[in-house]
Amino acid sequence: CSLPRSPKGFPKLKNDTFLRAARGEQTEHTPVWCMRQAGRYLPEFRETRASQDFFATCRSPKLCCELTLQPLRRFPLDAAIIFSDILVVPQALGMEVVMVPGKGPTFTEPLKEVEDLLKLRQKVDVTAELDYVFQAITLTRHSLEGKVPLIGFSGAPWTLMSYMIEGGGSTTMAKAKSWLYRHPEASHRLLRLLADVIIDYLVGQVAAGAQALQLFESHAGHLGPELFQDFALPYIRDIAQAVKSKLKQEALPLVPMIVFAKDAHYALRDLGRAGYEVVGLDWTIWPQEARAQIGKDVTLQGNLDPCALYAPKEKIGELVKKMLESFGTQRYIANLGHGLYPDMNPEHVGAFVEAVHAHSRHINKH
């Protein structure tokens, strides 16, 4: 990855299968990519990352580009997703996050009281704060040489809020949820602030060269239907609408948008009507049930259990075939129901990708 060029004159796209499926057009095979495909399961990833602090890596466009491209050198994936982290948004709001080995991302001073909201930047210039992500996207888009489309992403407001209050991962999200019950107005203020930053951030990613966008509501499973209706869904909807209208205003490409709300099986119907071209599914959902609730006009993405990749390769092939038969090969993007785990065998990831291509081509022919 040589140094960034401008976000213009990008190489011509050679494989647009992923974008066509996202828009609901016919495809010869079902496209496939994996969440966390640029990750620790690859020895070359561990090698590139070895000497660097995690967030320092996120701030290096050259390293982000290299890490994004690594899985594509190994596997015939149909999309790349920029290497970054959802917590760059709280950092842009002025919070300090460090990566603690063995523990994960940790906020040095999480939000404890409603007054702590005043410590956050109330107006964020995403170009000033997150330009390193935009540079990484532009550089990677050039370096991909049109091989496959590049996906940009952000965490969704509730998921980011939960990290900012919990100070890291949590099994119950009790501190963050207590805000929703005790301080609903302040919660909405924080969620609105996050949504506004996310909207500008996602538009900036498209301006930099992202060809699709994914919104990760990774902590949806901690909310029930009512809290989700009040504190997550309105912002998820608003982000899709505002991003699209800003892209139009700025004469930028209208890229497909994906929403992935993990464990939100109670909200499939609403997610299907939230303004996204694609709804990502985790592995706890029956494909037929998802299709029935979401309807025929939205593309589905997912949802093989990541742990299925621990199975022998032949078994992975059988599971993929069954998944394709359940979802159908059109208006569908194959993926895992969550990200790849660090101890997975890269060969099994390859077997998954190849099985999707082989079985979907076979089904489409017959």
Side-chain angles (χ1 to χ4, degrees), residues 199-200 203-204 207 242-253:
I199 289 160
D200 288 346
V203 172
V243 167
K244 288 176 180 183
S245 89
K246 286 199 169 192
L247 290 174
K248 272 201 187 109
Q249 275 166 20
E250 298 181 24
L252 288 165

Side-chain angles (χ1 to χ4, degrees), residues 271-336:
L271 289 166
R273 290 157 183 69
Y276 293 77
E277 283 70 26
V278 184
V279 174
L281 305 168
D282 63 67
W283 69 92
T284 66
I285 295 166
W286 287 105
Q288 292 90 337
E289 179 60 23
R291 183 57 83 195
Q293 291 209 35
I294 290 169
K296 293 186 177 62
D297 299 331
V298 175
T299 295
L300 301 181
Q301 174 178 281
N303 73 341
L304 191 71
D305 181 353
C307 291
L309 297 192
Y310 295 123
K313 288 190 205 167
E314 309 71 64
K315 178 72 176 162
I316 294 172
E318 287 164 31
L319 293 166
V320 164
K321 180 169 182 276
K322 198 169 155 195
M323 179 171 83
L324 286 161
E325 285 165 352
S326 303
F327 278 107
T329 58
Q330 301 298 323
R331 260 213 183 276
Y332 173 56
I333 295 162
N335 205 317
L336 303 174

Side-chain angles (χ1 to χ4, degrees), residues 108-185:
T108 46
E109 289 180 47
L111 305 174
K112 289 195 171 72
E113 307 301 330
V114 168
E115 297 77 66
D116 293 342
L117 293 181
L118 298 171
K119 296 180 191 167
L120 300 173
R121 282 193 188 103
Q122 302 304 305
K123 270 271 166 260
V124 176
D125 175 353
V126 294
T127 313
E129 299 301 327
L130 294 165
D131 189 50
Y132 59 89
V133 181
F134 303 150
Q135 286 187 42
I137 287 173
T138 301
L139 175 59
T140 306
R141 174 87 187 266
H142 280 295
S143 305
L144 274 166
E145 294 172 336
K147 196 175 181 174
V148 294
L150 179 61
I151 305 169
F153 69 89
S154 173
W158 155 250
T159 293
L160 295 178
M161 170 182 171
S162 63
Y163 273 115
M164 290 160 77
I165 294 171
E166 295 290 341
S170 155
T171 50
T172 59
M173 296 292 161
K175 288 180 195 158
K177 284 176 72 177
S178 82
W179 273 53
L180 304 181
Y181 285 110
R182 285 169 38 229
H183 314 301
E185 286 88 357

